[in-house]
Structures are given as structure tokens and as C-alpha cells.
Amino acid sequence: MRDAISRAGAPLIRLVNIERTYRVGTEEVHALRRVSVSVHHGEWVAIVGQSGSGKSTLMNVVGCLDTPTAGNYFLDGRDVAQMNDDELADTRNQKIGFVFQTFQLLARDTALANVELPLVYRGIGASERKRRAREALEKVGLAARMHHKPNELSGGQRQRVAIARALVGEPLLLLADEPTGNLDSTTGEEIVRLFADLHRMGHTIVLVTHAPHLAALCPRAVRLCDGQVVADGPGPRVAELRDEATTSMPLLATPIVASAGVGL
Amino acid sequence: MLRLLRETYENARLALLALAGNRMRAGLAVIGIGIGVATLIAIFGIIQGLNRSFASQLDSLGSSSLTVSRRPWVTGPTNWWKFRSRPPITFHEFEEVKRQSVLASAVAPIVSDAFDIKFADRSVANVQCTGTTEDFSVARASYPRLGRFISDSDNQLRQRVVVLGEDVSRALFDTGEAALGKAVLINRSHYRVIGVLERKGSLLGNSLDLVAIVPFETFRNDFGAKRSVSIAVASADPKALDALEDEVMSIMRRARSLGPDQEDSFTINRQEQFTKLYGQLTGTLYAVAFGVGLITLLVGGIGIMNIMLVSVRERTREIGVRRAIGARRRAIITQFLLESVAVSFVGGAAGTLVGLFIAHLVGDLTPLAAAVTGGGVALGLGFSMLVGMVFGIWPAWTAAHLDPVEALRYE
């Protein structure tokens, strides 16, 4: 991680005028319009917005699961548009750790086996895999339950397993999509605290959420509305904004960076 | 390479887990493939058994001998008339072959006809009675089980002695021992039984044991001398049958004074002709039976494809997760291919056991000597895995080409 921080000069994520258009029947839906955002190593950024604001699409693009219709996305200095399917898979495997709202654990496997999975696709041997998976589970405080299957774990524990799985490959970026969405508020807070710890340890985290109180906990937040970036600044301040108000209100004090499309 | 191996191992483990998780459905697909493979194996075993018993029966004709006759043993329906006008083979021609051939180890003249044979109040109809000499024993691999074969002196003295085939001896005397020394009635003449032949079985449905062998001269004396003779010739070297055929052919052509542009007016028969005939008779049958087995396997394969497509659909989210975590398409393809191969392999193994059992049962309950060899088992397992592979490709491809975003959202 130290290494990652030392490279903080160049952004880990650089999105330049990203567009993502879907075709639904004869109509074109603009999920993302000219989105430009950069995230540096070690940052903890929330992406907030209501449902339909484009934040899931943005997450998919950042996670190399979806490719933008136009614009450039540089991840760790590499142009994602130039990658073929295998390279995208390898990039997801090595540089990104996903945490999903619905945990997305494999039901038939134990917690340990679930956490091992990214390393399987990296071709790491079984004993090394187990050792690292155990470490990752210790990191999220679940070492005691590593031989349990997902249905023997509580929601919060499942999400911890998912986070361990995201961490095990030591990715450059943790990408969490509504990680507390399926949890009660107490458990959700625990998970958020875990993210805060990970942030302190130096992990770069992008957290997608519709909940303002979560965004408020992040040092930085980016607000999306109708596929556009309408605000970018300290978490607590961006969290306060309301969508309708944002587009017309004067830009907040630095370091808010609005995308070029705003105000048109 | 290492990565590929590890992925494959992981995928094999997954495939087995998936099978264990869906026992009912996997079980049905296994049955589908199993029936196909069982059919194949059983058919294969029965065919092999048939072939083997046919081959051993053919050997009883004397695998290293040939027979000079007026007509081919096996003729097509179109040209049989051509052979009718041929001159009969004479005793003199037999003598020429016997005198001139250097490659032959035994040369015997053969005349034969079907007669009823009687003893006391018992009677056997339509016995193939052959008049020949001592050499016949070697040329046709006809050896006495009891007593002795006819000898050259029997022939010179025109003795009325007979060597009976097993079926004849059993019908008239129950046991071979009882037959020895008795006088049986063949077409109004009494013959003393001097031997009983070893059992030969049957060829293309005809018993080879419903025979009686008497001296050549006695036969001609009692049953008429104006009969066409055949000449049985045994090769000294079993591998030099072609050379022997050439030699006998030139002796016969010379004996008949055939010019270079004249066709043979005789035929040299070899047991291969029966092999060919056998092939013609059974080839189509085998092809049909094999086709049925393959179609069953095909149906099983479609069953596998079906459960694999369902499996892919059910595990869409899992596929999404794996892709998001960094599985390449190839890894997903291997995972599902291995799963379908595993299903079909289990089916193939079960089917092989059932097929072996059926073949065995057929062997026990019918005269067919069904035999399944290692080749048959390999064929069954190989085919089943091939089916799993072929019918698994499409579902696996579908799985690998799911959009990860859509797959993760799939409910």
C-alpha cells in the first residue's frame, strides 16, 4: 500500500468525458453524459445519486464490467478501451475488488473457498491461496467462521466475507456497490467502519450509494444526476445537496469540480 | 500452463459439486447417456461374439486349405448358369494335382451326396456323406474323437467303413462309444463305424456335424462313379496359401489343356469367400444396430445439452460473479464443459456396466457367444465423453458470453 500512496501523483482512475448510451427499443437512453472524474491512490470516494442517476452504470464502467460508448477511461494509466476481453478479466482480477449489495457469494462454497476464488483465477496454488484467504478473513474479523457456508452466516458476516474476497488479491481499488443496502442499520455501520479502517490502511475505495448519511462519512463524494456529475467535493457537503437544487445552484467552494456538461 | 491446470482442477471440483447439488437432474441425464452407451456396448459385444464364433467355425473348414470345385462355394444370383456348363472335375485331375503339387501337404478327392443313415429303428435324414481319402483329415481339419479315420488301405480294398459326425452318432447311438463297431445302413449298404469325429459346430446355420465319411472308392462303387469330384488341398505352409493356389491353378489348367486366352473352367475355393459372404450378410445389420445405438446416444446428448442450458441459466449470477472476480471466458467454458463431460462420463460408465451385463446375459441365454473386450469398453466411455463434449459446447459458450453486468443482476 505504501507503494500505492507513493504513486499518488498520477490518478488511479481517470474518466474523461465518458458517455454510456443504451438503446431501449428505438429510444436512446443516456445513462452517462460527459462524465469526467479522477480518483487518486488512497482516496475514499462516494458516488451518490438517486436510482436512475447513472451511478450503477458508472460503477460498471469503473469496474471494467461495462465499456463506455464514448470517452476515455484510464485505470492505473492504461486505456481500458484498448483491452480485449481476457485483459479486462485479468484487470478485474488483479486491480479491482468488488463488493456487491447482495454479497454475491457462491452458496455451495465455504467462506474460505469464496475468498480464495479470485486467486484461483490468478493461478495461485492451493496452499498459498488458503494462507492469503485466511489472512483476508482475519482482516475483516471473520477468521473464526471461515469454514461456514454463506447460509450459516449473518448478513453482516456475509458482507465481510465478500469484502475479504475483494481484498484477498490486494487490488488497487475496492469498488463497493451499496454494500450496506441489504443490512440493518447497526450492521451497516459496522461495515462502514470496516471501510473506514481499510481506508486508513491505505486502500483506495469507491463506494456507490444512494444514502446521504453514508456519503457524509466519506472524505469525498461525487453526486450524479441524470447521468451527469453535478457535484464533487467533501462528502458531508455533497451529501447535504438535493438533486434539484444542485444543477442550478452556484458551485460550491473548492475542491468541487463539475463536469463540462453541467448547466447546459 | 500451471494456471490452466489449476483452473482445470478447480473446474473439475466444481463440476462434481454441481452434479452432487443437482442429483435428480444429473441422474436423468446420466440415464439418457447410459442407455445409449449400454446399447452400443451390448451391440458391440454381440457383434464381436458373433464374429469370433464365426471365425472359429471357419477355421474348422481348414484355414490353410483350398478346394478345387466346379463351382464357387459362394455365387451371385446373376451368373450361376455359367458354372453349369463347366466340365466335372475328374479323378484323373485329382491324381494330377496330387502327383505334381510340391506345396501341398495333403490332397484328397471329395465326392458327396446326402443320404439317410439308419441303425435298428433309428434313422437320421439328409446326412452329408463324403467319399474321400486319408488326406481329407488334414485338409479339412477333421479328426476322430474316437476310433480312427479312414485309411488308404480302406480305400484300396473298398472297405465299407464309416466315420460318423457327432450329430449322427448321437442320433443313432446316444454315445460315440456305443457307435464303434456297429453296422449302419447307408442307402442300402451296411457300413461299419470305425470312428466318431470331433464336434465342429455350425456354419451359417448348417450343422458341420451332420456328416459321414466313407472311403472314396467305396463311395463310387456304392453310390455311382459319374460324380463330379472336388479336390481338397492343404498347404504345407499355412502362410503360403496364395502360392499354393497359383500352383494348383496351373496344374489344373495344364490338365485341362486351357489356352492362355481361355477362362478357368473350375474354381479354387477358399474359406475367405465365406468371410466375405458373412460380411455381406451381417454388415447392413450391424450398421443399423450401430446406428440405433448412436441415435440413442444422440438423444442422451440432447438431454445433457438441455440440463446444461438449465444449469447455465440457474447459475447466471454465479457466472456474473466469476466474471467480475476475473474469470476469463475460457475458464467459464472449461467449467461448464467439464461439468457436461462429467455427467456423460458417469452415464457412460454406468451404461458400460449395464451393456456388459446385457452382453453377458445374451451370451448365457442364447447360443451367441457375446464378448466385450477392452476395446468395447473404451469405445463406450470414449463415445460418452465425446457426446458430453460436443453437446456441452453450446451451453458453455453461452455461459462464457453472458454480459457480466446483466448476469450479476439476474434474479
Side-chain angles (χ1 to χ4, degrees), chain A residues 48 180 185 188-189 192 209-218 223 235-236 239-240:
Chain A
V48 280
T180 60
S185 56
E189 271 167 38
V192 171
T209 181
H210 70 278
H213 71 274
L214 271 187
L217 296 171
C218 301
R223 179 172 286 271
E240 281 169 18

Side-chain angles (χ1 to χ4, degrees), chain B residues 30-51:
Chain B
V30 159
I31 289 173
I33 284 285
I35 289 174
V37 171
T39 315
L40 266 187
I41 292 266
I43 289 171
F44 196 75
I46 290 167
I47 288 175
Q48 280 198 324
L50 277 177
N51 286 346

Side-chain angles (χ1 to χ4, degrees), chain A residues 44 191-201 205 217:
Chain A
W44 182 13
I191 294 296
V192 171
R193 236 176 282 134
L194 179 59
F195 275 111
D197 289 344
L198 291 170
H199 171 59
R200 257 195 304 283
M201 285 186 246
I205 302 167
L217 296 171

Side-chain angles (χ1 to χ4, degrees), chain A residues 85 90 92-93 121 123, chain B residues 3 6 322-323 325 328:
Chain A
D85 194 79
D90 292 349
R92 291 195 293 268
N93 185 256
Y121 291 119
Chain B
R3 173 174 165 159
R6 288 202 170 118
R322 288 176 186 278
R323 293 280 284 145
I325 277 171
R328 291 183 178 190

